[in-house]
Amino acid sequence: MSKQNYDTKLSLLESMLSENALPPRTPIDVVVQEAENLYVWIQEDKEALTNIGLDWDTYAEDLPIRAGACRYAQGVWMKERYDREDAVKVWNAKSPDAYTFRNDLLADLRFAFRKRSDLIARVRAIADGSGDADMIQDLVDISVLAKANTAELTTINYDMTRFDQAEQQADELAELLGKANGAILDNSKAKDIRDKAYTHLKEAIDEIRDTGKHLFRKHPERYQGYISRYNR
């Protein structure tokens, strides 16, 4: 049901301005459960609430749909978040070996091409630069250079499959780094939609609670149903 609610609301959420979306200050599971509890509580007060201006269809009837969409959006974001955090761990584990592999390949090319000043200049150009993205590009550039100049490598009986490994590693590491960087930046679309879904839900909750608290300000037995137990 939450998935259906999410699909129902997705186009609306995507159209909302990101700068108007609020990051939740209360755990999403608490917010959603309180919204569902509130929906049950207000049924008894429908006539009284609508008599003082509550738009029942917009806020009350839509409350379970907003809650379901928010619950599902949270799940989507959490999955992506954990996938990205896992990518950071894997990157941290694999990248040192990738740097070592790159450096070893460069050293091997310097030896193989030592009598070719033109090729040594190209190896030197590849070795320039720093950073993770540069290292990944180096693996590709090394492979391209080596495969275009096999004679010198054949002379030293070099294992040419290492350059296939370099290309494969570059592809895998590029994808991994993209996911890892996403975790560090934490600016994903999934989080943006989650924040919008929370804001959309909070709008309905606030409208209902404000109306109910005013209506039942002198009736504590009904008033209590319009207060957040978590915040209280």
Side-chain angles (χ1 to χ4, degrees), residues 5-225:
N5 297 150
Y6 178 82
D7 291 341
T8 298
K9 289 291 185 179
L10 185 56
S11 60
L12 172 64
L13 298 176
E14 289 177 333
S15 70
M16 293 172 61
L17 296 176
S18 296
E19 53 264 35
N20 293 335
L22 304 171
R25 295 183 178 180
T26 303
I28 289 294
D29 58 336
V30 172
V31 175
V32 172
Q33 187 59 57
E34 288 198 346
E36 292 171 345
N37 295 345
L38 183 62
Y39 179 73
V40 174
W41 184 263
I42 64 177
Q43 300 306 312
E44 183 178 326
D45 304 325
K46 177 178 179 179
E47 183 176 355
L49 291 167
T50 55
N51 281 343
I52 63 168
L54 179 67
D55 188 330
W56 190 262
D57 289 338
T58 299
Y59 297 114
E61 284 304 317
D62 202 41
L63 189 60
I65 300 173
R66 298 189 191 206
C70 187
R71 187 193 299 278
Y72 192 83
Q74 171 74 1
V76 171
W77 177 64
M78 290 300 289
K79 180 182 182 303
E80 180 176 293
R81 178 183 175 185
Y82 286 127
D83 285 348
R84 292 181 172 195
E85 289 178 354
D86 287 343
V88 172
K89 294 176 183 177
V90 176
W91 172 262
N92 290 338
K94 287 189 172 183
S95 59
D97 288 341
Y99 273 99
T100 298
F101 184 48
R102 186 275 309 266
N103 293 339
D104 288 344
L105 291 176
L106 287 172
D108 293 340
L109 291 187
R110 291 189 188 98
F111 174 71
F113 298 153
R114 65 191 183 281
K115 297 178 181 179
R116 291 279 306 272
S117 59
D118 58 329
L119 295 182
I120 287 295
R122 293 178 64 182
V123 173
R124 188 178 299 115
I126 293 172
D128 286 343
S130 61
D132 296 334
D134 180 75
M135 178 270 289
I136 293 171
Q137 185 61 49
D138 287 351
L139 290 173
V140 176
D141 294 344
I142 287 169
S143 178
V144 171
L145 178 61
K147 290 181 178 180
N149 299 278
T150 59
E152 289 79 7
L153 291 160
T154 301
T155 299
I156 64 171
N157 297 316
Y158 198 77
D159 181 3
M160 296 297 292
T161 64
R162 285 169 63 81
F163 302 115
D164 293 329
Q165 294 171 18
E167 292 183 13
Q168 182 179 352
Q169 277 201 27
D171 290 341
E172 293 173 354
L173 290 168
E175 181 179 356
L176 190 59
L177 181 60
K179 290 181 179 179
N181 284 341
I184 294 169
L185 295 173
D186 198 23
N187 63 352
S188 70
K189 179 181 178 181
K191 181 179 183 300
D192 183 57
I193 292 294
R194 191 286 307 271
D195 289 350
K196 290 177 178 179
Y198 164 74
T199 303
H200 188 51
L201 174 59
K202 185 176 184 299
E203 176 194 35
I205 292 173
D206 288 350
E207 186 69 18
I208 294 169
R209 281 179 173 163
D210 288 347
T211 305
K213 285 189 286 188
H214 174 73
L215 179 64
F216 297 112
R217 63 191 183 278
K218 296 181 180 179
H219 303 277
E221 73 283 357
R222 295 306 300 166
Y223 183 90
Q224 64 178 342

